[in-house]
Amino acid sequence: MSTVLITGTNRGIGLEFVKQYLGRGDTVLATCRNPDSAGELAELAASNDKLTLMALDVSKDESRTSFASALADTAVDVFINNAGVYGPRDASFGNVAAEEWEEVFYVNSIAPLLLTQEIIESLRKGSDKKLVYITSKMGSIDDNSGGGSYIYRSSKTALNSVVRSLSVDLRDEGFSVALLHPGWVQTDMGGPNALIDTLTSVNGMLGVIDNLNQANTGQFFNYDGQPIAW
C-alpha cells in the first residue's frame, strides 16, 4: 500500500481521487484550502483512519511553508498536484486582464513547482516516487485549433513545460513524472455538459499512474493512457 498526497480535494476530481485511493486501502493525505468547510471530505475522514485532512492554499507562500513543516518527515509515495483554477471564462482576445492572468498563472503554473520544491524531502523518502500533475489538453499547442481561452491555455502550457523539465531533473533520483489530462469532466469547472463523470476520469488516471515508470516518465497523457501531443 502507498501513501498518496493529493491537493485540491474538497470536490470534483480531487475528491474522487481520495475515494478511489481509500477504496484500494492506501493512506491518503488530502489537502484543501479550508478542511472545516469541506463537508463530504470531512465525513470521509471521520469514518476512515487512513485519511488525513491538511490545510493548504497553494497560492499563499505562508500556507505552503506551514504545510511543508506539518508534513515534516512523512514519506510520500505518490504526489498528485490536482489544485488548479480556470480563471475568467471570457478571456478572449480583447478581454484579457493582466491581474487575472497573473492569479491563474501563479496557481496553475508556478505554485506546483514551488510546492514540489518545498516537500521534496518527503517525496524522496517515498518508495514509489511518482509525481503527477493534472493539466489539460487545452495546454497542448499542437491541439489548439479553437483559439481563445488565453489565460487558462497558457497556464497549462507553462505547467507542461515546467513538469517536463522536472521529469528530466529528478530522473536520476528515481522519480517518475507525468502530466495527466482528466478529460472533459462533469465538475464545477467542466460543467454539466461534459462527456465523462469523475468516476470514469479518475479510474482511468489511476491506471496511468499505476503504470508510470522510468520508461515513460515525462510524458503528457490522456486519462485513458493515450499520449497527447505537446
Side-chain angles (χ1 to χ4, degrees), residues 78-135:
V78 180
F79 169 47
I80 301 176
N81 188 97
N82 171 68
V85 294
Y86 191 90
R89 294 281 174 173
D90 57 350
S92 56
F93 181 73
N95 199 35
V96 176
E99 183 176 355
E100 294 171 332
W101 200 347
E102 290 167 356
E103 290 173 358
V104 173
F105 219 85
Y106 193 89
V107 172
N108 290 356
S109 316
I110 299 173
L113 180 62
L114 297 181
L115 179 59
T116 303
Q117 290 180 153
E118 289 157 343
I119 65 171
I120 189 62
E121 293 307 319
S122 288
L123 302 176
R124 284 171 172 152
K125 289 180 172 67
S127 57
D128 295 350
K129 289 184 168 59
K130 295 184 178 184
L131 310 181
V132 177
Y133 298 80
I134 305 303
T135 182

Side-chain angles (χ1 to χ4, degrees), residues 165-208:
S165 287
L166 192 62
S167 72
V168 174
D169 293 341
L170 296 182
R171 180 166 188 159
D172 288 347
E173 293 191 49
F175 283 96
S176 299
V177 184
L179 288 146
L180 284 181
H181 168 57
W184 186 16
V185 189
Q186 296 159 6
T187 62
D188 289 348
M189 184 183 292
N193 297 321
L195 299 178
I196 60 174
D197 57 18
T198 55
L199 179 66
T200 301
S201 172
V202 172
N203 186 59
M205 288 192 287
L206 283 183
V208 178

Side-chain angles (χ1 to χ4, degrees), residues 153-174:
R153 283 189 190 278
S154 63
S155 72
K156 290 301 188 179
T157 303
L159 174 64
N160 291 354
S161 181
V162 165
V163 175
R164 177 70 176 187
S165 287
L166 192 62
S167 72
V168 174
D169 293 341
L170 296 182
R171 180 166 188 159
D172 288 347
E173 293 191 49

